[in-house]
Amino acid sequence: MKPILQPPPMTCERVREIDRVAMEQFQMPGIVLMENAGRGAAERIDQISPGGNVLILCGKGNNGGDGFTIARHLQLAGREVTILAMASVDELHGDAAIQAKIAEAAGIEIQVLGDTATKTFLPAADIIVDGLLGTGAKPPLRGRFVDVVESANAASAVRIALDIPTGMDGDTGETGEPTFHADHTLTFAAPKVGFAKQDAARFTGQVHVISIGVPLKLLRQFSS
């Protein structure tokens, strides 16, 4: 189903404001927005790469929650899915924790990354999905994120970023070393203004806007 309105590029803060207004004024729970985003992203991943097994990298926040949601919908589509999580399910909070518990109960394999180096840890995969960090993160990456992103970039797989590639500033397009090198970026609600700046396109690849299911009235309000 083709969306009626394609929102213009927005700052990360403006997209977060869409989430807030959707929850407060339109009575849409955050878990519903995450479910919509995850299902839409899973459908697009299945279109981009209709075959092959999928590895989803999940951080502790809502970007990781999107990843857990996507895993379930890809499993429903008959795909073989593995999750590599930066924290155990018990360490997560809010909507991300709910989606992680659903994925766990669904029998999706969840490998939790320890504190050791990860250079050789990433399971072999045809598609790697980056759900590590969301719009609130700024470069450069630190700690285990460096090893995970470097390992993902070295893999011979189709790389797909959720919302923004990990290591990029969605507002300025600034990237650190390393930054997830995506072939496709599935960005939620609206393109981020940073995608058109500097050499961001080299890291975003092809950008696809994924609806989070907010009402048309709200999208028009933020698109004017």
Side-chain angles (χ1 to χ4, degrees), residues 6-208:
Q6 288 286 357
M10 297 183 188
T11 64
C12 296
E13 179 58 36
R14 192 159 176 81
V15 172
R16 284 192 288 270
E17 185 71 2
I18 289 177
D19 285 355
R20 186 189 67 78
V21 173
M23 289 186 281
E24 293 181 1
Q25 297 183 20
F26 289 83
Q27 308 303 309
M28 296 186 72
I31 193 70
V32 171
L33 300 177
M34 184 174 286
E35 182 71 18
N36 291 341
R39 181 172 185 170
E43 289 172 352
R44 189 60 57 90
I45 291 168
D46 205 33
Q47 293 167 0
I48 291 169
S49 297
N53 62 324
V54 184
L55 172 65
I56 303 180
L57 311 175
C58 290
K60 294 178 68 173
N62 283 345
N63 203 236
D66 294 329
F68 285 109
T69 311
I70 289 165
R72 172 164 45 89
H73 286 288
L74 286 176
Q75 184 193 56
L76 284 167
R79 305 297 286 268
E80 180 183 343
V81 186
T82 300
I83 293 170
L84 180 62
M86 300 296 284
S88 68
V89 173
D90 292 339
E91 295 177 83
L92 303 179
H93 302 282
D95 298 332
I98 293 171
Q99 294 290 3
K101 289 173 182 176
I102 297 172
E104 185 177 54
I108 296 169
E109 181 181 359
I110 302 175
Q111 299 181 13
V112 180
L113 187 65
D115 294 326
T116 57
T118 61
K119 296 288 186 183
T120 59
F121 187 83
L122 293 190
D126 300 302
I127 302 110
I128 297 177
V129 178
D130 164 25
L132 291 170
L133 296 172
T135 56
K138 305 294 182 185
L141 297 178
R142 297 175 179 84
R144 295 177 302 162
F145 290 100
V146 173
D147 290 330
V148 173
V149 169
E150 286 181 345
S151 296
N153 285 344
S156 57
V158 176
R159 287 182 292 273
I160 300 174
L162 301 180
D163 218 7
I164 63 172
T166 293
M168 175 182 287
D169 185 313
D171 290 336
T172 67
E174 176 189 0
T175 55
E177 181 57 44
T179 294
F180 187 84
H181 204 296
D183 299 297
H184 300 266
T185 294
L186 311 184
T187 197
F188 299 120
K192 308 307 181 282
V193 293
F195 292 171
K197 300 179 180 179
Q198 300 188 30
D199 63 344
R202 187 162 66 90
F203 294 93
T204 63
Q206 184 178 355
V207 175
H208 312 255

